[in-house]
Amino acid sequence: MAKSKYEYVKNFETEKKLLPNCWIVVRIDGRAFHQFSTKHKFKKPNDENALALMNRAASVVMDEFKDILLSYGQSDEYSFVIRKDTTLYNRRGPKIMTYINSLFSTSYVYYWSHYFKETRLKYPPAFDARIILYPTDENLRDYLSWRQADCHINNLYNTTFWALVLKGGLTNTEAEKRLCGTLSSDKNEILFSEFNTNYNNEPIMYRKGTILIRKRIKNPEHGKMRQVILPLHEDMIQDNFWQKHSEILAIKS
Amino acid sequence: MAKSKYEYVKNFETEKKLLPNCWIVVRIDGRAFHQFSTKHKFKKPNDENALALMNRAASVVMDEFKDILLSYGQSDEYSFVIRKDTTLYNRRGPKIMTYINSLFSTSYVYYWSHYFKETRLKYPPAFDARIILYPTDENLRDYLSWRQADCHINNLYNTTFWALVLKGGLTNTEAEKRLCGTLSSDKNEILFSEFNTNYNNEPIMYRKGTILIRKRIKNPEHGKMRQVILPLHEDMIQDNFWQKHSEILAIKS
Amino acid sequence: MAKSKYEYVKNFETEKKLLPNCWIVVRIDGRAFHQFSTKHKFKKPNDENALALMNRAASVVMDEFKDILLSYGQSDEYSFVIRKDTTLYNRRGPKIMTYINSLFSTSYVYYWSHYFKETRLKYPPAFDARIILYPTDENLRDYLSWRQADCHINNLYNTTFWALVLKGGLTNTEAEKRLCGTLSSDKNEILFSEFNTNYNNEPIMYRKGTILIRKRIKNPEHGKMRQVILPLHEDMIQDNFWQKHSEILAIKS
Amino acid sequence: MAKSKYEYVKNFETEKKLLPNCWIVVRIDGRAFHQFSTKHKFKKPNDENALALMNRAASVVMDEFKDILLSYGQSDEYSFVIRKDTTLYNRRGPKIMTYINSLFSTSYVYYWSHYFKETRLKYPPAFDARIILYPTDENLRDYLSWRQADCHINNLYNTTFWALVLKGGLTNTEAEKRLCGTLSSDKNEILFSEFNTNYNNEPIMYRKGTILIRKRIKNPEHGKMRQVILPLHEDMIQDNFWQKHSEILAIKS
């Protein structure tokens, strides 16, 4: 049973390294989460526990992979931004991508019951992952702006849609039809005039998603500094965020 | 908050398709499972429950992805063989690889308590994945032979090592030293003469690993045919296996 | 002027190896050869010298790269088939592709005056190259059939088109219009009834393109065997060709 | 002879696009040019005509591909720097690389007799090409510094080596031995004390290589502006060059 006779098959494996000096983004995304959220009775338009669980899973990933500088999550997706000078797994893309995705996935199941005390997890969910390179800080910021703008657009739509359905008594199809072709301003108006809702007063986590960054904070008891993973719900599209947290992009490449 | 302004960042995503008409193998592998098995007190040299859990997770994956024709698992790794003519996710490698890996990972956690009733899962484990193409049936068979030969070599070593430690009273270091440079025949001899163990009588799942294939079987009650995922512990290195299950390689490419 | 300080930039080079055990095809193709052929007054529909020059350039390439088993050329393109077990340049695709393309290109210019005694080369032409993997003999044969069918279709069209223009007195636009939507049988009929031309009697090099293979032949003088590159104008679509030259696909992979 | 039956083979072609917003460098390199230079009696250590021919071939390439901003050549290699925002051939790397390489190659043969009036080209040479991405201006500058430092190191070595051989009467092997382990300062000293040569007075094209850039200049006759390709032999390692020609890196990405 000579193993060596067969070992030539290892040569069929490819091992492409990621281009150096580029920001690395791994984005994970829930598979068929529309159905998953229905089966597990997620609250509409946003389920606070479901989002908290996503954030928890992302925190586990950040705890494990110190080269992740920032993570951003909304809905059933999470993006992990890895330092451009990382040497993690020798910059082998598939290795980085699959470990992050797997750990996020297992953490989601592992911590399910902490966030859903009443609802049993009916089946194991799955997430896919992709890995993307961004050469410049501007490209990276635009990526994050893209995801945060996506969060806003979807959340405004969903908030209005579910107001029409849950409070307005429309069927799903009627609500869809009503919103077809509407602008943001139209949706804001519907919410305000028909449901007495000022969209800007909706919970900021729903409107902006969740940013996880590392910060060194002082322990209030003994005064020692330690690093924590801090959840933020700020606007990353404006410069202000990046000035306030200037250490994120401060890496010398 | 114009999303379109940022959407150019999508162009940085690459979308390489796998070469057509090649066998696709996705192999997943536990991260730091030596430590994981210690922390969770896996029995040595083999933990029946741990292996059964791996098999269960692999079955979930096969249930979901019908284009997986055969899976092979041993220790903390599992290989999934996908039909060479699959059009799954348009043959996008990262998509195929990350979904399979994620679903395996979540299933492992989801079904943990079915197999470990006494031992709580202490932390979420992680698996990496790689994807490999094999152009010919011979290459694919050699791949599977390679993994099964690997299973044999490791299991013979581990069986002897743990006999020396658990029954022979050696320390880990002493056992390692004793086995250093030994041939298979030496290990067989140690097991036989010192521990009255005929290696060939050790459980076949430990010696051969687990092969999962699909078979149509008749329901004993109502006689209807249905497809099941069948675990086998056979020798894939010999021709006999492939003649017996000739449908696996019978795909017309 | 420390070189070492800058050498890190080498890490930005990627070095992907071609999947083992696949047929490798490099196809080169003339850039803007429609214009090139006009400027150099190539005879229409086929210029014997231009094709002979292409064949010569391909022969230089085959002389240099012994792992090319067969080449096939038609019009301004040439395909080179490299043994599936080649270790040429460690199977680095770009290296293989660019050397073949460059040597073909320089040979085309180098031998120009041998084939065009009256027409000076007005400017240096260019060829692009691509590299393609085919896992099975059947895929490779289908590739070559595809190119030879393409040769046939284009040549039948061009032969009819230029008969209409050169002998029939139509303008290019009129000839195009006349042929629009016609089937092969229509074109054969036009040639036969209007120009007394039986397409099947047209020179076979024009109808089938040129296949270059290696053959060992006996020197008629001293009787010693030596290897030559033999030009053939046969039908590669039929099995007959592959039976007759069975050594081409006979490589054990 | 249905072409469509075979067209599926096109799906085996891959078409990877280069990452956006990165500098693209194509470097071509002579194949076996040591032998080529000997066969064609190139003067040692530098053959002015051979270098002028390289520069001419590179100029043809720059004339054709307007997105090349700068080229740098030394010895038998040439690097072409393409704008980071190019959409040339839809950023398909192999297409860009093979066209540039082919046109350089054919131009080298085409213009041979302009530079070598006495020496017939004995056989067609070949060049390989590679394509490399650099995310930042700094990386690109370091790449060019690397090549220019390489030029310096090789030229100092070659100048000293050939002085020892041609003027000092040493055999090649003796000269090699003499130079083994020497520093730059040692070689400068040999040149100065033994051959009365101040290396810094050697022709600057040999010491720095050739940079080709585009400049708009005024026609001295009619005063109209036009773009020309300008050869420079300056130091690209210092900031001064980049300040003087600040338009090169001025592209807004």
Side-chain angles (χ1 to χ4, degrees):
Chain A
M1 211 183 279
K3 189 177 155 191
S4 57
K5 184 182 160 190
Y6 305 118
E7 275 190 327
Y8 80 91
V9 298
K10 280 190 73 166
N11 295 327
F12 290 68
E13 299 188 16
T14 55
E15 200 172 275
K16 221 184 151 237
K17 285 174 192 172
L18 299 171
L19 188 67
N21 202 22
C22 288
W23 291 104
I24 301 168
V25 172
V26 172
R27 182 168 79 245
I28 67 98
D29 202 78
R31 182 175 180 241
F33 254 57
H34 187 77
Q35 185 190 335
F36 183 84
S37 67
T38 306
K39 293 260 180 184
H40 292 87
K41 301 195 188 350
F42 282 8
K43 287 206 190 82
K44 297 296 180 181
N46 289 285
D47 187 294
E48 200 181 342
N49 291 323
L51 293 173
L53 174 55
M54 291 290 287
N55 294 342
R56 177 66 175 267
S59 296
V60 173
V61 169
M62 281 188 84
D63 253 342
E64 191 64 37
F65 297 100
K66 301 300 186 195
D67 282 358
I68 298 174
L69 293 177
L70 176 152
S71 309
Y72 175 68
Q74 55 127 327
S75 183
D76 61 342
E77 72 168 53
Y78 238 98
S79 297
F80 299 93
V81 177
I82 303 169
R83 328 169 40 99
K84 54 202 297 186
D85 60 354
T86 189
T87 55
L88 185 63
Y89 302 121
N90 216 5
R91 291 183 83 88
R92 281 177 290 158
K95 197 97 174 172
I96 294 171
M97 172 172 73
T98 57
Y99 267 148
I100 286 178
N101 191 41
S102 177
L103 185 56
F104 185 94
S105 300
T106 56
S107 301
Y108 191 92
V109 177
Y110 188 80
Y111 289 109
W112 172 272
S113 60
H114 294 230
Y115 296 89
F116 291 93
K117 302 205 187 294
E118 312 292 312
T119 315
R120 201 179 58 84
L121 182 58
K122 292 185 167 51
Y123 58 86
F127 298 84
D128 79 339
R130 74 196 66 205
I131 196 160
I132 320 154
L133 296 175
Y134 290 110
T136 64
D137 295 356
E138 193 192 353
N139 294 148
L140 176 67
R141 279 193 52 182
D142 286 347
Y143 170 79
L144 292 167
S145 294
W146 175 51
R147 298 323 303 147
Q148 196 166 44
D150 183 81
C151 172
H152 167 75
I153 289 163
N154 290 334
N155 191 58
L156 176 56
Y157 182 94
N158 291 335
T159 303
T160 319
F161 178 90
W162 288 105
L164 289 168
V165 170
L166 300 176
K167 302 175 191 166
L170 268 59
T171 64
N172 286 17
T173 314
E174 287 165 349
E176 243 173 65
K177 215 168 169 181
R178 175 80 193 278
L179 291 176
C180 183
T182 55
L183 304 175
S184 287
S185 52
D186 301 325
K187 296 188 195 79
N188 274 307
E189 183 58 26
I190 291 172
L191 285 171
F192 191 71
S193 60
E194 301 184 27
F195 302 103
N196 202 21
T197 299
N198 184 337
Y199 179 72
N200 290 324
N201 295 337
E202 289 294 289
I204 193 163
M205 179 165 81
Y206 303 164
R207 288 184 293 118
K208 298 293 179 195
T210 299
I211 306 156
L212 301 178
I213 60 170
R214 301 178 196 281
K215 283 283 177 188
R216 296 186 66 76
I217 57 163
K218 194 180 279 186
N219 186 306
E221 287 178 39
H222 50 60
K224 281 191 192 150
M225 299 298 288
R226 63 189 186 99
Q227 207 187 53
V228 295
I229 293 168
L230 203 67
L232 304 170
H233 312 289
E234 302 181 5
D235 187 328
M236 289 189 295
I237 298 178
Q238 305 305 319
D239 289 339
N240 189 42
F241 175 85
W242 299 98
Q243 285 153 2
K244 205 165 126 197
H245 308 288
S246 59
E247 74 283 2
I248 299 171
L249 299 181
I251 301 174
K252 179 74 197 79
S253 67
Chain B
M1 211 183 277
K3 189 178 158 192
S4 57
K5 184 182 162 189
Y6 305 117
E7 275 190 328
Y8 81 92
V9 297
K10 280 190 73 167
N11 295 325
F12 290 69
E13 300 188 15
T14 55
E15 200 172 277
K16 225 189 148 234
K17 286 175 192 172
L18 299 170
L19 189 68
N21 203 21
C22 289
W23 292 104
I24 301 167
V25 171
V26 173
R27 181 167 80 246
I28 67 98
D29 201 78
R31 182 174 180 241
F33 253 57
H34 187 77
Q35 184 189 335
F36 183 84
S37 67
T38 307
K39 293 261 182 182
H40 293 88
K41 302 193 186 348
F42 283 8
K43 290 207 190 81
K44 297 296 180 180
N46 288 285
D47 188 293
E48 199 180 340
N49 291 324
L51 293 173
L53 175 55
M54 290 290 287
N55 295 342
R56 177 65 175 266
S59 296
V60 173
V61 170
M62 281 187 81
D63 252 342
E64 191 63 36
F65 296 100
K66 301 301 185 195
D67 281 357
I68 298 173
L69 292 178
L70 176 151
S71 309
Y72 175 69
Q74 54 127 326
S75 183
D76 62 342
E77 72 168 53
Y78 236 99
S79 297
F80 298 94
V81 177
I82 303 169
R83 334 170 32 101
K84 54 202 300 187
D85 60 354
T86 188
T87 56
L88 185 63
Y89 302 121
N90 216 5
R91 293 183 84 87
R92 280 178 291 157
K95 198 97 175 173
I96 294 171
M97 171 171 74
T98 56
Y99 267 149
I100 285 178
N101 190 42
S102 177
L103 186 55
F104 185 94
S105 301
T106 56
S107 300
Y108 191 92
V109 177
Y110 187 81
Y111 289 109
W112 173 272
S113 61
H114 293 230
Y115 295 90
F116 291 92
K117 301 205 187 297
E118 313 291 312
T119 315
R120 201 179 59 84
L121 182 59
K122 292 184 168 49
Y123 59 85
F127 298 84
D128 80 340
R130 72 195 68 205
I131 195 160
I132 320 153
L133 296 176
Y134 290 111
T136 65
D137 294 356
E138 192 191 354
N139 294 147
L140 176 66
R141 279 193 53 184
D142 286 348
Y143 170 79
L144 292 166
S145 295
W146 175 52
R147 299 323 303 146
Q148 197 166 44
D150 184 81
C151 173
H152 167 75
I153 289 162
N154 291 336
N155 191 58
L156 176 57
Y157 182 94
N158 292 336
T159 303
T160 320
F161 178 90
W162 288 105
L164 290 166
V165 170
L166 300 176
K167 302 176 191 166
L170 269 59
T171 65
N172 285 17
T173 314
E174 286 165 350
E176 243 173 66
K177 217 169 169 180
R178 174 80 192 278
L179 292 177
C180 184
T182 55
L183 304 175
S184 288
S185 52
D186 301 325
K187 297 186 194 79
N188 274 306
E189 181 58 26
I190 291 172
L191 285 172
F192 191 70
S193 59
E194 302 184 26
F195 302 103
N196 202 21
T197 298
N198 183 337
Y199 179 71
N200 291 324
N201 294 337
E202 290 294 290
I204 192 163
M205 180 166 79
Y206 302 165
R207 289 185 291 116
K208 297 295 179 196
T210 300
I211 306 156
L212 301 178
I213 59 170
R214 300 178 196 282
K215 283 281 177 189
R216 295 187 67 76
I217 57 163
K218 194 180 279 188
N219 186 306
E221 286 180 40
H222 49 61
K224 282 194 191 145
M225 299 298 288
R226 65 192 184 97
Q227 207 186 52
V228 295
I229 293 168
L230 203 67
L232 303 172
H233 311 290
E234 302 181 6
D235 187 328
M236 288 188 295
I237 298 178
Q238 306 305 318
D239 290 339
N240 190 42
F241 175 85
W242 298 99
Q243 285 153 1
K244 205 165 125 195
H245 307 289
S246 60
E247 74 284 2
I248 299 170
L249 299 181
I251 301 174
K252 179 76 195 79
S253 67
Chain C
M1 210 182 278
K3 190 176 155 192
S4 57
K5 184 183 161 188
Y6 305 118
E7 275 190 328
Y8 81 91
V9 297
K10 281 189 72 166
N11 295 326
F12 290 69
E13 299 187 18
T14 55
E15 201 172 275
K16 224 189 150 233
K17 286 175 193 172
L18 299 171
L19 188 67
N21 202 21
C22 289
W23 291 105
I24 301 168
V25 172
V26 173
R27 181 167 81 246
I28 67 98
D29 201 79
R31 182 174 179 242
F33 254 56
H34 188 77
Q35 185 190 333
F36 183 83
S37 67
T38 306
K39 292 261 182 185
H40 292 89
K41 301 195 192 341
F42 283 9
K43 288 207 191 81
K44 297 296 181 180
N46 287 287
D47 187 294
E48 199 180 342
N49 291 324
L51 293 174
L53 175 55
M54 291 288 289
N55 294 343
R56 178 66 174 266
S59 295
V60 174
V61 170
M62 281 187 82
D63 252 342
E64 191 62 37
F65 296 100
K66 302 301 186 197
D67 281 358
I68 298 174
L69 293 178
L70 176 152
S71 308
Y72 174 69
Q74 55 125 328
S75 184
D76 62 341
E77 72 167 54
Y78 237 100
S79 297
F80 299 94
V81 177
I82 303 169
R83 334 169 32 101
K84 54 202 299 187
D85 60 355
T86 190
T87 56
L88 185 64
Y89 301 122
N90 215 4
R91 291 183 84 89
R92 280 177 291 157
K95 198 97 175 172
I96 293 171
M97 171 171 74
T98 58
Y99 266 149
I100 285 178
N101 190 41
S102 178
L103 186 56
F104 185 94
S105 300
T106 56
S107 301
Y108 191 92
V109 177
Y110 188 81
Y111 290 109
W112 173 271
S113 60
H114 292 232
Y115 295 91
F116 291 92
K117 301 206 187 292
E118 312 292 314
T119 314
R120 201 177 59 81
L121 182 58
K122 291 183 168 53
Y123 58 85
F127 298 84
D128 79 339
R130 73 196 66 204
I131 196 161
I132 319 153
L133 296 175
Y134 289 111
T136 64
D137 294 356
E138 192 191 354
N139 294 148
L140 176 66
R141 279 192 54 182
D142 286 346
Y143 170 79
L144 292 166
S145 295
W146 176 51
R147 299 322 303 145
Q148 197 166 44
D150 183 81
C151 173
H152 167 75
I153 288 163
N154 289 336
N155 191 57
L156 177 56
Y157 182 93
N158 291 335
T159 302
T160 317
F161 178 89
W162 288 104
L164 289 168
V165 170
L166 299 176
K167 301 176 192 165
L170 268 58
T171 64
N172 285 17
T173 314
E174 287 166 349
E176 241 173 65
K177 216 168 166 181
R178 175 79 193 279
L179 292 176
C180 183
T182 55
L183 304 175
S184 288
S185 53
D186 301 324
K187 297 188 195 76
N188 274 308
E189 182 57 25
I190 292 173
L191 285 172
F192 191 71
S193 60
E194 300 184 27
F195 302 103
N196 201 23
T197 298
N198 183 338
Y199 179 72
N200 289 327
N201 295 337
E202 289 293 290
I204 192 163
M205 179 165 79
Y206 302 163
R207 289 186 289 116
K208 298 293 180 197
T210 300
I211 306 156
L212 301 177
I213 59 169
R214 300 177 197 281
K215 282 282 175 188
R216 296 186 66 77
I217 57 162
K218 195 181 279 188
N219 185 306
E221 288 179 39
H222 49 60
K224 281 191 192 150
M225 299 298 288
R226 64 191 185 95
Q227 208 186 52
V228 295
I229 293 168
L230 203 67
L232 302 172
H233 311 291
E234 301 181 5
D235 188 327
M236 289 188 295
I237 298 178
Q238 305 306 318
D239 289 339
N240 189 42
F241 175 85
W242 300 99
Q243 285 153 2
K244 206 165 125 196
H245 308 288
S246 59
E247 74 282 2
I248 299 171
L249 300 181
I251 303 174
K252 180 78 194 78
S253 66
Chain D
M1 211 182 277
K3 189 175 155 193
S4 57
K5 183 182 162 190
Y6 304 118
E7 275 190 325
Y8 80 92
V9 298
K10 280 190 74 166
N11 295 327
F12 290 68
E13 300 187 17
T14 55
E15 200 173 276
K16 223 188 150 234
K17 286 174 191 171
L18 299 170
L19 189 67
N21 202 22
C22 290
W23 292 104
I24 301 168
V25 172
V26 172
R27 181 167 83 245
I28 67 97
D29 201 78
R31 181 174 180 242
F33 254 56
H34 188 76
Q35 184 190 335
F36 183 84
S37 67
T38 306
K39 293 261 181 184
H40 293 88
K41 302 192 189 344
F42 282 8
K43 289 208 190 79
K44 298 295 179 180
N46 288 287
D47 187 292
E48 199 182 340
N49 291 323
L51 292 174
L53 175 55
M54 290 290 287
N55 294 342
R56 178 66 174 265
S59 296
V60 173
V61 170
M62 280 187 83
D63 253 342
E64 191 63 37
F65 296 100
K66 302 301 185 195
D67 281 357
I68 298 174
L69 292 178
L70 176 152
S71 309
Y72 174 68
Q74 54 126 329
S75 184
D76 62 341
E77 72 168 54
Y78 237 100
S79 297
F80 299 94
V81 176
I82 303 169
R83 328 168 40 98
K84 55 202 297 188
D85 60 354
T86 189
T87 56
L88 185 64
Y89 302 121
N90 216 4
R91 292 183 84 87
R92 280 177 290 158
K95 198 98 176 172
I96 293 171
M97 172 172 74
T98 57
Y99 266 148
I100 286 178
N101 191 41
S102 177
L103 186 56
F104 185 94
S105 301
T106 56
S107 301
Y108 191 91
V109 177
Y110 187 81
Y111 290 108
W112 173 271
S113 59
H114 293 231
Y115 296 90
F116 292 93
K117 301 208 186 293
E118 311 291 314
T119 313
R120 200 179 59 83
L121 182 59
K122 291 184 167 54
Y123 57 86
F127 298 84
D128 78 339
R130 74 196 65 205
I131 196 161
I132 320 153
L133 296 176
Y134 289 111
T136 64
D137 295 355
E138 192 190 355
N139 295 148
L140 176 67
R141 279 192 53 182
D142 286 347
Y143 170 79
L144 292 166
S145 295
W146 176 52
R147 299 322 303 146
Q148 197 165 43
D150 184 81
C151 173
H152 166 74
I153 289 163
N154 291 335
N155 191 58
L156 177 56
Y157 182 94
N158 291 337
T159 302
T160 319
F161 178 90
W162 289 105
L164 290 168
V165 170
L166 298 176
K167 301 176 190 167
L170 269 59
T171 65
N172 286 15
T173 314
E174 286 165 349
E176 242 174 65
K177 217 168 168 180
R178 176 79 192 279
L179 292 175
C180 184
T182 55
L183 304 175
S184 288
S185 53
D186 301 324
K187 296 187 194 81
N188 273 307
E189 182 57 25
I190 291 171
L191 285 172
F192 191 70
S193 59
E194 302 184 25
F195 302 103
N196 202 24
T197 298
N198 183 338
Y199 179 72
N200 290 325
N201 294 337
E202 289 295 289
I204 192 164
M205 180 167 79
Y206 303 165
R207 289 186 290 115
K208 298 292 180 198
T210 300
I211 305 155
L212 302 177
I213 60 169
R214 301 176 197 282
K215 282 281 176 189
R216 296 187 66 78
I217 58 162
K218 195 181 281 189
N219 185 305
E221 287 177 41
H222 50 61
K224 282 192 191 150
M225 299 298 288
R226 63 190 186 97
Q227 208 188 50
V228 295
I229 293 167
L230 203 67
L232 304 171
H233 312 290
E234 302 181 5
D235 188 326
M236 289 187 296
I237 298 178
Q238 306 305 318
D239 289 339
N240 190 42
F241 175 86
W242 299 98
Q243 284 153 2
K244 207 166 125 196
H245 308 287
S246 59
E247 73 283 3
I248 299 171
L249 300 182
I251 302 174
K252 179 73 195 84
S253 67

